[in-house]
């Protein structure tokens, strides 16, 4: 169960969140929980979550070890702070910041090499769904994202299926649509990484997950968890989703 805070919350607001959230989920062992705040909130989040059952993730990682890449963050920087997870290829990065399947592949390779657990996002835009291209798009995104990565290297990979038309719009994919897309992704993962890998692969659903729809979505057999944006900003509503 992953929270994507996007560009929300200051360090003080981060501390407030964890003060309220941690007691609500302490002892919850059914699911892994990870919160991905903005980079500048990472120290506050890591400090607050120390010793708890909540892991902390970044929202992106550059593929180079270090160098003249103004505004970027390396795997080494994230690891030095104690970050364990990282979101890669979120649709907002693809839509607004020129992220491509190829840069997603570079970031993924680096994250896996460094020992970070990547949450790799894929998903179609509305025009692609309406044109009947969803399956093709998901297959293309997977093939390119996982190019030249071995099953052994990819062992910790988590995929998030996020239909772009459902992100922050209040429109959710029906549980059936989401499950269908997850099945396409799992089939593609079987082709690329093999059956055993695909059977153990965790695929999260993301896109307007709320306490009201979490149960019907996540109880679909194909859906292993959720990547939650807006509804993860409030400790009570994220708890309700975590404990669906
Ligand atoms: P949302 O965002 O839950 O606000 O739709 C999900 C995401 O973008 O990861």
């Amino acid at each position: 169960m992953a929270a994507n805070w996007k560009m929300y919350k200051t360090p003080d607001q981060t501390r407030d969140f964890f003060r309220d959230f941690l007691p609500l989920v302490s002892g919850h062992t059914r699911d892994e929980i990870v919160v991905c705040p903005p980079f500048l909130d990472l120290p506050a989040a890591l400090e607050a979550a120390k010793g708890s059952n909540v892991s902390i993730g970044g929202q992106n990682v550059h593929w180079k070890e270090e160098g003249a890449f103004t505004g970027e963050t390396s795997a080494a920087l994230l690891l030095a702070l104690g970050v364990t997870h990282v979101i890669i290829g979120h649709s907002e990065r693809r839509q607004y910041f020129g992220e491509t399947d190829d840069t997603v592949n570079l970031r993924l390779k680096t994250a896996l090499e460094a020992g970070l657990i990547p949450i790799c996002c894929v998903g179609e835009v509305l025009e692609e769904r309406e044109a009947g291209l969803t399956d093709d798009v998901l297959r293309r995104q997977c093939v390119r994202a996982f190019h030249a990565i071995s099953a052994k290297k990819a062992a910790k990979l988590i995929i998030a299926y996020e239909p772009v038309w459902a992100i922050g719009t209040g429109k959710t994919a029906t549980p059936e649509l989401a499950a269908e897309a997850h099945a396409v992704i799992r089939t593609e993962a079987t082709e690329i990484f093999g059956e055993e890998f695909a059977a153990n692969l965790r695929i999260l659903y993301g896109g307007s997950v709320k306490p009201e729809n979490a149960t019907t979505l996540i109880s679909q057999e194909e859906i292993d968890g959720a990547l939650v944006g807006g509804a993860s900003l409030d400790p009570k509503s994220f708890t309700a989703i975590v404990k669906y």
Side-chain angles (χ1 to χ4, degrees), residues 4 6 90-92 162 166-169 206-210 227-231:
N4 173 13
K6 310 193 179 189
H90 190 276
S91 66
E92 284 148 20
E162 299 205 309
I167 294 177
T169 57
S208 297
V209 177
K210 306 272 178 262
L227 178 55
V228 189

Side-chain angles (χ1 to χ4, degrees), residues 2-5 9 17 35 209 228-235 237-238 241:
N4 173 13
W5 282 3
K9 291 194 191 293
F17 174 92
V35 174
V209 177
V228 189
S232 74
L233 294 168
D234 174 70
S237 97
F238 189 44
I241 294 170

Side-chain angles (χ1 to χ4, degrees), residues 65-179:
E65 221 172 292
E66 58 182 5
F69 301 104
T70 303
E72 290 293 327
T73 299
S74 69
L77 281 167
L78 294 174
L79 289 165
L81 291 184
V83 168
T84 50
H85 293 65
V86 65
I87 297 172
I88 293 177
H90 190 276
S91 66
E92 284 148 20
R93 302 296 320 169
R94 295 177 190 255
Q95 225 176 331
Y96 307 129
F97 302 100
E99 190 83 59
T100 64
D101 292 330
D102 295 331
T103 54
V104 170
N105 176 246
L106 290 171
R107 292 181 205 279
L108 255 184
K109 280 187 190 151
T110 296
L112 289 166
E113 197 71 48
L116 287 163
I117 302 172
I119 303 173
C120 179
C121 303
V122 295
E124 80 287 1
V125 300
L126 186 60
E127 298 76 51
E128 292 165 334
R129 174 154 291 274
E130 285 176 347
L133 294 173
T134 300
D135 295 4
D136 292 343
V137 169
L138 295 178
R139 281 194 213 106
R140 187 207 69 219
Q141 289 177 337
C142 288
V143 167
R144 298 217 185 138
F146 309 142
H147 175 70
I149 297 176
S150 69
K152 194 164 164 233
K153 274 269 156 61
K156 292 181 175 168
L157 173 70
I158 298 170
I159 299 180
Y161 168 61
E162 299 205 309
V164 180
W165 48 270
I167 294 177
T169 57
K171 285 187 203 154
T172 325
T174 61
E176 294 74 24
L177 277 190

